[in-house]
Amino acid sequence: MRHILSILMENEPGVLSRVAGLFSGRGFNIETLNVAPTLEAGVSHMTITTTGDDQIIEQIIKQLRKLVTVIKVIDLTGTKSVEREMMLIKVNAEEGKRAEILRIVDIFRCKVVDVDLDELTIQITGDHGKIEAIINLLQRFGIKDVIRTGAVAMRRSMQ
Amino acid sequence: MELTGAQILLESLVREGVDVMFGYPGGAVIDIYHHLPQYPLTHILTRHEQGAIHAADGYARAKGKVGVCLVTSGPGATNTVTGIATAYMDSIPVVIFTGQVPTPLIGNDAFQEVDIVGISRPCTKHNYLVKDIKEMAATIKEAFYLARSGRPGPVLVDLPKDILASKTTYHYPETVHMRSYNPTYEPNKKQVRRVVDLIRKAKKPLIYAGGGVIASNAHDDLQWLATTCQIPVTATLMGLGCIPGEDPLFLGMLGMHGTYTANHAVSEADLILAVGARFDDRVTGKVTTFAKKATLVHIDIDPTSIQKNVAVHVPVVSGCREFLSALRSEIEPCLKGDDCLPPHKEWLEQIHEWATTKPLHYESKPGVIKPQAVVESIYKITRGEAIITTEVGQNQMWAAQFYKFKYPRTFISSGGLGTMGYGFPAAIGAQMAFPDKLVIDIAGDGSIQMNIQEMATAVCYGLPVKIVILNNGYLGMVRQWQELFYQENYCSTCLDVAPDFVKLAEAYGATGFQITDPDAVESTLREAFALKSTVIVDVSVDPMENVSPMVPAGKSLTDMILV
């Protein structure tokens, strides 16, 4: 099962390598990883998506908590949370196909960020499902390139 | 007070209560060695950095204090990696100081540069590169705090040469505050009461004790629990000595080379209290059949150890000492009233029957020295009062099986990593910790050759370490596996060419003995142990002797190959 882990950690050199090394050294898999500073000086936030059964996820979380530079680890899976990922996708858009692609862009509330004679580069923001859905839809036009940020996620406010 | 980085290090070591450190100088750490004579610190110059780290580890295990190792950059640092991994696997508190090239050169592939922080990341509890002289004192304080607190382990501090030479005002922090590191020592009270309840209801309880009992000095409370509640105890290799080897409640070690009694007790028990043990694969055998009839209670200070290899019913994150002490407080009042804990008469009788019908044993052969008999002789002579270190392999298992460890911290062996070449330098460390005790390294002819150069260290400092080589001319444990599971294909395990160990000892200025006659074993060992010098006793033992019982890898604990 796919899990989203939200990790707060000290912003020190080598922290990313400690986390990534923990995953590789123990045979766990990182699907996506995103890291950036928080508002608090010296603290970074990392979002990792990974897959595994309950026992593996429990081990991953415990091992992460064991790292001296990790302050907090939360598994957002199954909690009320907001998840977003950004993707840039370059797709074939020859004459005759362009209108349909733009319609999809419109429906998905994406944005065209670059245009050429026979291709469009589209920016999409959304959760995992939305990103996968648009890739599926655009596949038949011919996808030339894709780049994704990996998920970022946050707990919803308690309402 | 303005001090250089090198002085800050030495000053801080003194404040941490360090009196001995093991090391090897080099260009990057000359500043430290330059100031060293002015501080009340004994430095033991080993002949290899691996010797230094194992000696620091052996010192830590024997003394219960943090061991310290100081080496230079590049190869000096990488030579410690095996020793760091050894300490990490067995949760031994060691602080390793490595020299590093000057900060402007870091990353430039400078002479003797290596990213030791990167290399040692997976095998240290934590590590540091000091990039600012102002952080140095606080980093050292943190390193010692991390090494000894929670689940202990090795911590590495990398010190660039320019940082060691630069100056700052010295202030050593009194306390450490790390928001991301707060080990849980005290157990949850409800869980403790639950465990008492389980003990009360159990008909076949068993304690399974590991190295955590010894690391946290919980042996007295463990023995109290075992004796008061009449619960038999089995121990991992790392747990040996947690209760006296001759205690009638002690069943011996469990697992691959465990006793028949211990392995059957685990399989029949209805309650297992696993205290400071981590269910290593050498202990559990086939996990799916391990302790199937038991309610498993697992006490460990490290949450990652719990539910890692086996599913437990009652997980308790706590220090072993704190848990056992809380358990004692709960149980003691029950003993006074009518609410007494029931005895487990039938269970103890069953265990007694196993122990008497299937004890550890070996077949004697006329004119042949059995390695087990050598270990028994060592026990007879020392009466359990010696500190025993071991190398790795058959020698280690025979020592674990046939020496009855009387006290904690008297069995010093590389458990988790199984590091050949560990025992002798570790013995040097243990002898430094206890200069007046008899320290014996039980070795194999293969293992001892992995760090034999430390003979010079032992002789140089007048350390009367005794090395007893159970010499069978083979890498015995691998040979045993080849015999049993690889159609006797003894590929590359026969050590055809071996040094004359007596001459070797003499070449280093030590004393050498050779034993080839079974009748001479005890008398020669007595003579060797009485000497106040470094001694090698080379004992020619039966080359084809195997360690038994044995549970083949991946089999259930009760599928034992007996003699």
Side-chain angles (χ1 to χ4, degrees), chain B residues 47-105:
Chain B
R47 295 303 186 268
H48 190 290
E49 287 89 352
Q50 192 186 351
I53 176 81
H54 288 326
D57 169 314
Y59 175 89
R61 292 189 204 220
K63 193 97 171 176
K65 276 176 70 174
V66 178
V68 178
C69 173
L70 168 63
V71 297
T72 193
S73 64
T78 53
N79 277 346
T80 64
V81 172
T82 301
I84 296 173
T86 305
Y88 184 65
M89 288 291 275
D90 289 343
S91 309
I92 306 303
V94 182
V95 177
I96 305 101
F97 294 100
T98 50
Q100 183 55 277
V101 300
T103 45
L105 295 185

Short mmCIF file of all heavy atoms in Angstrom, two decimals, chain B residues 47-105:
data_model
loop_
_atom_site.label_atom_id
_atom_site.label_comp_id
_atom_site.label_asym_id
_atom_site.label_seq_id
_atom_site.Cartn_x
_atom_site.Cartn_y
_atom_site.Cartn_z
N ARG B 47 49.05 -1.28 16.71
CA ARG B 47 49.86 -1.42 15.50
C ARG B 47 49.01 -1.34 14.24
O ARG B 47 49.50 -1.46 13.13
CB ARG B 47 50.64 -2.73 15.55
CG ARG B 47 51.68 -2.76 16.68
CD ARG B 47 52.66 -1.59 16.56
NE ARG B 47 53.74 -1.67 17.54
CZ ARG B 47 53.70 -1.09 18.74
NH1 ARG B 47 52.64 -0.38 19.11
NH2 ARG B 47 54.72 -1.21 19.56
N HIS B 48 47.73 -1.17 14.40
CA HIS B 48 46.83 -1.03 13.27
C HIS B 48 45.59 -0.33 13.81
O HIS B 48 45.21 -0.54 14.95
CB HIS B 48 46.47 -2.43 12.73
CG HIS B 48 45.73 -2.42 11.42
ND1 HIS B 48 44.43 -2.00 11.29
CD2 HIS B 48 46.10 -2.80 10.17
CE1 HIS B 48 44.05 -2.10 10.02
NE2 HIS B 48 45.06 -2.59 9.33
N GLU B 49 44.95 0.49 12.98
CA GLU B 49 43.76 1.21 13.47
C GLU B 49 42.63 0.25 13.84
O GLU B 49 41.82 0.55 14.71
CB GLU B 49 43.28 2.22 12.43
CG GLU B 49 44.17 3.45 12.30
CD GLU B 49 45.28 3.28 11.28
OE1 GLU B 49 45.46 2.15 10.77
OE2 GLU B 49 45.99 4.27 10.99
N GLN B 50 42.56 -0.89 13.15
CA GLN B 50 41.50 -1.85 13.52
C GLN B 50 41.72 -2.35 14.94
O GLN B 50 40.78 -2.56 15.70
CB GLN B 50 41.46 -3.04 12.54
CG GLN B 50 40.21 -3.88 12.72
CD GLN B 50 40.20 -5.15 11.87
OE1 GLN B 50 41.05 -5.34 11.02
NE2 GLN B 50 39.23 -6.00 12.11
N GLY B 51 43.01 -2.51 15.30
CA GLY B 51 43.33 -2.89 16.67
C GLY B 51 42.87 -1.82 17.65
O GLY B 51 42.35 -2.13 18.73
N ALA B 52 43.04 -0.57 17.28
CA ALA B 52 42.66 0.53 18.17
C ALA B 52 41.16 0.55 18.45
O ALA B 52 40.72 0.67 19.59
CB ALA B 52 43.11 1.86 17.57
N ILE B 53 40.38 0.40 17.40
CA ILE B 53 38.93 0.48 17.59
C ILE B 53 38.40 -0.74 18.35
O ILE B 53 37.57 -0.62 19.25
CB ILE B 53 38.17 0.72 16.25
CG1 ILE B 53 36.65 0.71 16.42
CG2 ILE B 53 38.54 -0.27 15.17
CD1 ILE B 53 36.07 1.95 16.91
N HIS B 54 38.93 -1.93 18.05
CA HIS B 54 38.49 -3.12 18.81
C HIS B 54 38.92 -3.02 20.27
O HIS B 54 38.21 -3.47 21.16
CB HIS B 54 39.09 -4.40 18.21
CG HIS B 54 38.49 -4.81 16.90
ND1 HIS B 54 37.17 -4.60 16.58
CD2 HIS B 54 39.04 -5.43 15.82
CE1 HIS B 54 36.93 -5.08 15.36
NE2 HIS B 54 38.05 -5.57 14.87
N ALA B 55 40.10 -2.45 20.50
CA ALA B 55 40.57 -2.31 21.89
C ALA B 55 39.66 -1.33 22.64
O ALA B 55 39.28 -1.59 23.80
CB ALA B 55 42.01 -1.83 21.91
N ALA B 56 39.29 -0.24 21.98
CA ALA B 56 38.38 0.73 22.62
C ALA B 56 37.04 0.05 22.91
O ALA B 56 36.42 0.27 23.96
CB ALA B 56 38.18 1.93 21.70
N ASP B 57 36.59 -0.78 22.00
CA ASP B 57 35.34 -1.52 22.15
C ASP B 57 35.45 -2.52 23.31
O ASP B 57 34.55 -2.61 24.17
CB ASP B 57 35.05 -2.19 20.79
CG ASP B 57 33.94 -3.21 20.82
OD1 ASP B 57 33.92 -4.04 21.73
OD2 ASP B 57 33.09 -3.21 19.90
N GLY B 58 36.57 -3.25 23.36
CA GLY B 58 36.76 -4.23 24.44
C GLY B 58 36.82 -3.54 25.80
O GLY B 58 36.27 -4.04 26.79
N TYR B 59 37.48 -2.38 25.82
CA TYR B 59 37.54 -1.59 27.06
C TYR B 59 36.13 -1.20 27.49
O TYR B 59 35.76 -1.34 28.66
CB TYR B 59 38.39 -0.34 26.79
CG TYR B 59 38.44 0.64 27.93
CD1 TYR B 59 39.40 0.54 28.93
CD2 TYR B 59 37.52 1.68 28.02
CE1 TYR B 59 39.45 1.43 29.98
CE2 TYR B 59 37.55 2.58 29.07
CZ TYR B 59 38.52 2.46 30.05
OH TYR B 59 38.55 3.34 31.09
N ALA B 60 35.33 -0.72 26.52
CA ALA B 60 33.96 -0.28 26.84
C ALA B 60 33.12 -1.44 27.37
O ALA B 60 32.39 -1.30 28.35
CB ALA B 60 33.31 0.31 25.59
N ARG B 61 33.25 -2.61 26.74
CA ARG B 61 32.44 -3.76 27.17
C ARG B 61 32.84 -4.21 28.57
O ARG B 61 31.99 -4.57 29.38
CB ARG B 61 32.63 -4.94 26.21
CG ARG B 61 32.05 -4.67 24.85
CD ARG B 61 32.06 -5.94 24.00
NE ARG B 61 32.06 -5.59 22.58
CZ ARG B 61 31.37 -6.24 21.65
NH1 ARG B 61 30.63 -7.25 21.97
NH2 ARG B 61 31.45 -5.87 20.40
N ALA B 62 34.16 -4.23 28.85
CA ALA B 62 34.61 -4.72 30.14
C ALA B 62 34.27 -3.72 31.25
O ALA B 62 33.81 -4.08 32.32
CB ALA B 62 36.12 -4.97 30.10
N LYS B 63 34.48 -2.45 30.96
CA LYS B 63 34.40 -1.42 32.00
C LYS B 63 33.00 -0.83 32.13
O LYS B 63 32.65 -0.27 33.18
CB LYS B 63 35.40 -0.31 31.65
CG LYS B 63 35.66 0.67 32.76
CD LYS B 63 36.91 0.31 33.52
CE LYS B 63 37.30 1.42 34.49
NZ LYS B 63 38.46 1.03 35.29
N GLY B 64 32.22 -0.87 31.07
CA GLY B 64 30.92 -0.22 31.11
C GLY B 64 31.03 1.28 30.93
O GLY B 64 30.14 2.04 31.31
N LYS B 65 32.16 1.73 30.37
CA LYS B 65 32.35 3.16 30.09
C LYS B 65 32.47 3.35 28.58
O LYS B 65 32.60 2.39 27.84
CB LYS B 65 33.68 3.63 30.72
CG LYS B 65 33.57 4.00 32.18
CD LYS B 65 34.94 4.34 32.74
CE LYS B 65 35.49 5.66 32.20
NZ LYS B 65 36.75 6.04 32.88
N VAL B 66 32.47 4.62 28.15
CA VAL B 66 32.65 4.87 26.73
C VAL B 66 34.11 4.61 26.35
O VAL B 66 35.02 5.09 27.01
CB VAL B 66 32.26 6.33 26.38
CG1 VAL B 66 32.49 6.60 24.89
CG2 VAL B 66 30.81 6.60 26.75
N GLY B 67 34.33 3.86 25.28
CA GLY B 67 35.68 3.63 24.76
C GLY B 67 36.03 4.74 23.77
O GLY B 67 35.14 5.26 23.10
N VAL B 68 37.31 5.09 23.70
CA VAL B 68 37.71 6.18 22.81
C VAL B 68 38.82 5.72 21.87
O VAL B 68 39.77 5.06 22.28
CB VAL B 68 38.18 7.41 23.62
CG1 VAL B 68 38.66 8.51 22.68
CG2 VAL B 68 37.06 7.93 24.49
N CYS B 69 38.67 6.09 20.61
CA CYS B 69 39.62 5.71 19.57
C CYS B 69 39.99 6.95 18.76
O CYS B 69 39.12 7.74 18.40
CB CYS B 69 38.93 4.66 18.70
SG CYS B 69 39.84 4.19 17.24
N LEU B 70 41.28 7.14 18.53
CA LEU B 70 41.75 8.33 17.81
C LEU B 70 42.63 7.90 16.64
O LEU B 70 43.64 7.22 16.85
CB LEU B 70 42.55 9.21 18.78
CG LEU B 70 43.37 10.35 18.21
CD1 LEU B 70 42.48 11.38 17.52
CD2 LEU B 70 44.19 11.03 19.31
N VAL B 71 42.24 8.27 15.44
CA VAL B 71 43.02 7.87 14.26
C VAL B 71 43.12 9.05 13.29
O VAL B 71 42.43 10.06 13.45
CB VAL B 71 42.38 6.67 13.52
CG1 VAL B 71 42.35 5.44 14.39
CG2 VAL B 71 40.99 7.02 13.02
N THR B 72 43.94 8.87 12.29
CA THR B 72 44.14 9.95 11.33
C THR B 72 43.13 9.85 10.17
O THR B 72 42.23 9.01 10.19
CB THR B 72 45.61 9.96 10.84
OG1 THR B 72 45.86 11.17 10.15
CG2 THR B 72 45.90 8.78 9.93
N SER B 73 43.32 10.71 9.18
CA SER B 73 42.36 10.77 8.06
C SER B 73 42.59 9.61 7.08
O SER B 73 43.50 8.81 7.25
CB SER B 73 42.53 12.09 7.33
OG SER B 73 43.83 12.13 6.74
N GLY B 74 41.79 9.56 6.04
CA GLY B 74 41.98 8.61 4.94
C GLY B 74 42.06 7.16 5.39
O GLY B 74 41.11 6.64 5.98
N PRO B 75 43.21 6.50 5.14
CA PRO B 75 43.31 5.08 5.48
C PRO B 75 43.19 4.83 6.98
O PRO B 75 42.69 3.78 7.40
CB PRO B 75 44.71 4.69 4.98
CG PRO B 75 45.46 5.97 4.85
CD PRO B 75 44.45 7.01 4.52
N GLY B 76 43.64 5.78 7.77
CA GLY B 76 43.49 5.64 9.23
C GLY B 76 42.02 5.51 9.59
O GLY B 76 41.61 4.67 10.39
N ALA B 77 41.22 6.35 8.96
CA ALA B 77 39.78 6.34 9.23
C ALA B 77 39.12 5.08 8.67
O ALA B 77 38.36 4.40 9.37
CB ALA B 77 39.14 7.59 8.64
N THR B 78 39.45 4.74 7.42
CA THR B 78 38.77 3.57 6.83
C THR B 78 39.16 2.28 7.52
O THR B 78 38.38 1.34 7.56
CB THR B 78 39.05 3.45 5.31
OG1 THR B 78 40.47 3.48 5.11
CG2 THR B 78 38.40 4.57 4.53
N ASN B 79 40.37 2.22 8.07
CA ASN B 79 40.78 1.01 8.79
C ASN B 79 39.94 0.76 10.04
O ASN B 79 39.98 -0.33 10.60
CB ASN B 79 42.26 1.09 9.20
CG ASN B 79 43.18 0.69 8.06
OD1 ASN B 79 42.74 0.11 7.08
ND2 ASN B 79 44.45 1.01 8.20
N THR B 80 39.21 1.75 10.49
CA THR B 80 38.38 1.55 11.69
C THR B 80 36.99 1.05 11.35
O THR B 80 36.23 0.70 12.26
CB THR B 80 38.22 2.87 12.49
OG1 THR B 80 37.51 3.81 11.68
CG2 THR B 80 39.54 3.45 12.93
N VAL B 81 36.63 1.04 10.07
CA VAL B 81 35.23 0.80 9.73
C VAL B 81 34.71 -0.56 10.22
O VAL B 81 33.61 -0.65 10.76
CB VAL B 81 34.99 0.97 8.20
CG1 VAL B 81 33.59 0.53 7.81
CG2 VAL B 81 35.19 2.43 7.82
N THR B 82 35.51 -1.61 10.09
CA THR B 82 35.08 -2.93 10.58
C THR B 82 34.82 -2.88 12.08
O THR B 82 33.84 -3.45 12.57
CB THR B 82 36.17 -3.99 10.27
OG1 THR B 82 36.37 -3.99 8.86
CG2 THR B 82 35.76 -5.36 10.72
N GLY B 83 35.69 -2.18 12.79
CA GLY B 83 35.52 -2.07 14.24
C GLY B 83 34.30 -1.23 14.61
O GLY B 83 33.62 -1.51 15.60
N ILE B 84 34.04 -0.21 13.81
CA ILE B 84 32.85 0.63 14.07
C ILE B 84 31.60 -0.21 13.86
O ILE B 84 30.68 -0.21 14.69
CB ILE B 84 32.84 1.87 13.15
CG1 ILE B 84 34.03 2.78 13.45
CG2 ILE B 84 31.54 2.65 13.32
CD1 ILE B 84 34.18 3.94 12.48
N ALA B 85 31.57 -0.97 12.75
CA ALA B 85 30.41 -1.82 12.47
C ALA B 85 30.24 -2.88 13.55
O ALA B 85 29.12 -3.22 13.92
CB ALA B 85 30.57 -2.47 11.09
N THR B 86 31.35 -3.39 14.07
CA THR B 86 31.29 -4.38 15.15
C THR B 86 30.61 -3.77 16.38
O THR B 86 29.70 -4.37 16.96
CB THR B 86 32.73 -4.83 15.54
OG1 THR B 86 33.37 -5.30 14.36
CG2 THR B 86 32.71 -5.92 16.59
N ALA B 87 31.05 -2.58 16.75
CA ALA B 87 30.47 -1.90 17.92
C ALA B 87 29.01 -1.55 17.68
O ALA B 87 28.17 -1.62 18.58
CB ALA B 87 31.28 -0.64 18.25
N TYR B 88 28.69 -1.17 16.44
CA TYR B 88 27.32 -0.78 16.12
C TYR B 88 26.38 -1.97 16.26
O TYR B 88 25.31 -1.86 16.87
CB TYR B 88 27.28 -0.25 14.68
CG TYR B 88 25.93 0.27 14.25
CD1 TYR B 88 25.37 1.40 14.85
CD2 TYR B 88 25.21 -0.35 13.23
CE1 TYR B 88 24.15 1.88 14.45
CE2 TYR B 88 23.98 0.13 12.83
CZ TYR B 88 23.45 1.25 13.44
OH TYR B 88 22.21 1.73 13.05
N MET B 89 26.78 -3.12 15.72
CA MET B 89 25.93 -4.30 15.77
C MET B 89 25.70 -4.77 17.20
O MET B 89 24.65 -5.32 17.51
CB MET B 89 26.56 -5.44 14.96
CG MET B 89 26.52 -5.22 13.48
SD MET B 89 24.86 -5.31 12.79
CE MET B 89 24.70 -7.07 12.53
N ASP B 90 26.69 -4.57 18.07
CA ASP B 90 26.55 -5.05 19.45
C ASP B 90 26.19 -3.92 20.43
O ASP B 90 26.23 -4.11 21.64
CB ASP B 90 27.85 -5.74 19.90
CG ASP B 90 28.05 -7.09 19.20
OD1 ASP B 90 27.06 -7.61 18.65
OD2 ASP B 90 29.18 -7.61 19.20
N SER B 91 25.86 -2.74 19.90
CA SER B 91 25.44 -1.59 20.73
C SER B 91 26.47 -1.23 21.80
O SER B 91 26.16 -1.19 22.99
CB SER B 91 24.09 -1.86 21.40
OG SER B 91 23.16 -2.28 20.46
N ILE B 92 27.70 -1.01 21.36
CA ILE B 92 28.78 -0.70 22.30
C ILE B 92 29.10 0.79 22.23
O ILE B 92 29.32 1.33 21.13
CB ILE B 92 30.04 -1.52 21.97
CG1 ILE B 92 29.69 -3.02 21.91
CG2 ILE B 92 31.16 -1.25 22.97
CD1 ILE B 92 29.07 -3.60 23.15
N PRO B 93 29.16 1.48 23.37
CA PRO B 93 29.46 2.92 23.34
C PRO B 93 30.93 3.20 23.06
O PRO B 93 31.78 2.92 23.89
CB PRO B 93 29.07 3.38 24.75
CG PRO B 93 29.23 2.17 25.61
CD PRO B 93 28.94 0.99 24.74
N VAL B 94 31.20 3.70 21.88
CA VAL B 94 32.56 4.07 21.50
C VAL B 94 32.49 5.41 20.80
O VAL B 94 31.57 5.66 20.02
CB VAL B 94 33.17 3.02 20.53
CG1 VAL B 94 34.61 3.39 20.19
CG2 VAL B 94 33.12 1.62 21.11
N VAL B 95 33.44 6.30 21.09
CA VAL B 95 33.54 7.54 20.33
C VAL B 95 34.84 7.48 19.53
O VAL B 95 35.90 7.22 20.07
CB VAL B 95 33.50 8.79 21.23
CG1 VAL B 95 33.68 10.05 20.39
CG2 VAL B 95 32.16 8.86 21.97
N ILE B 96 34.70 7.69 18.21
CA ILE B 96 35.84 7.58 17.32
C ILE B 96 36.17 8.98 16.81
O ILE B 96 35.30 9.67 16.24
CB ILE B 96 35.52 6.68 16.10
CG1 ILE B 96 35.04 5.32 16.57
CG2 ILE B 96 36.72 6.53 15.17
CD1 ILE B 96 33.55 5.13 16.52
N PHE B 97 37.40 9.42 17.03
CA PHE B 97 37.84 10.70 16.48
C PHE B 97 38.73 10.41 15.29
O PHE B 97 39.73 9.70 15.40
CB PHE B 97 38.60 11.51 17.53
CG PHE B 97 37.72 11.92 18.68
CD1 PHE B 97 37.73 11.22 19.88
CD2 PHE B 97 36.84 12.99 18.55
CE1 PHE B 97 36.91 11.58 20.93
CE2 PHE B 97 36.01 13.36 19.59
CZ PHE B 97 36.04 12.65 20.79
N THR B 98 38.36 10.97 14.13
CA THR B 98 39.17 10.78 12.93
C THR B 98 39.70 12.13 12.50
O THR B 98 39.00 13.14 12.60
CB THR B 98 38.33 10.18 11.79
OG1 THR B 98 37.13 10.96 11.63
CG2 THR B 98 37.95 8.75 12.05
N GLY B 99 40.95 12.14 12.03
CA GLY B 99 41.47 13.37 11.45
C GLY B 99 40.88 13.55 10.06
O GLY B 99 40.42 12.59 9.44
N GLN B 100 40.89 14.78 9.59
CA GLN B 100 40.39 15.06 8.25
C GLN B 100 41.29 16.11 7.63
O GLN B 100 41.96 16.88 8.34
CB GLN B 100 38.93 15.55 8.32
CG GLN B 100 38.24 15.82 7.00
CD GLN B 100 38.28 14.62 6.04
OE1 GLN B 100 39.28 14.42 5.35
NE2 GLN B 100 37.23 13.83 6.02
N VAL B 101 41.35 16.14 6.31
CA VAL B 101 42.17 17.15 5.64
C VAL B 101 41.60 18.54 5.96
O VAL B 101 40.45 18.66 6.38
CB VAL B 101 42.20 16.91 4.11
CG1 VAL B 101 42.78 15.54 3.82
CG2 VAL B 101 40.81 17.04 3.49
N PRO B 102 42.40 19.60 5.80
CA PRO B 102 41.90 20.94 6.13
C PRO B 102 40.61 21.28 5.37
O PRO B 102 40.43 20.85 4.22
CB PRO B 102 43.04 21.87 5.69
CG PRO B 102 44.25 21.00 5.67
CD PRO B 102 43.79 19.63 5.32
N THR B 103 39.73 22.03 6.00
CA THR B 103 38.41 22.31 5.40
C THR B 103 38.48 22.85 3.96
O THR B 103 37.66 22.45 3.14
CB THR B 103 37.56 23.25 6.28
OG1 THR B 103 38.38 24.31 6.72
CG2 THR B 103 36.96 22.54 7.46
N PRO B 104 39.46 23.73 3.61
CA PRO B 104 39.45 24.20 2.22
C PRO B 104 39.73 23.08 1.21
O PRO B 104 39.42 23.22 0.03
CB PRO B 104 40.60 25.23 2.19
CG PRO B 104 40.89 25.56 3.60
CD PRO B 104 40.52 24.37 4.41
N LEU B 105 40.33 21.99 1.68
CA LEU B 105 40.66 20.90 0.76
C LEU B 105 39.58 19.81 0.68
O LEU B 105 39.64 18.93 -0.17
CB LEU B 105 41.99 20.25 1.17
CG LEU B 105 43.25 21.10 1.07
CD1 LEU B 105 44.48 20.26 1.41
CD2 LEU B 105 43.41 21.69 -0.33
#
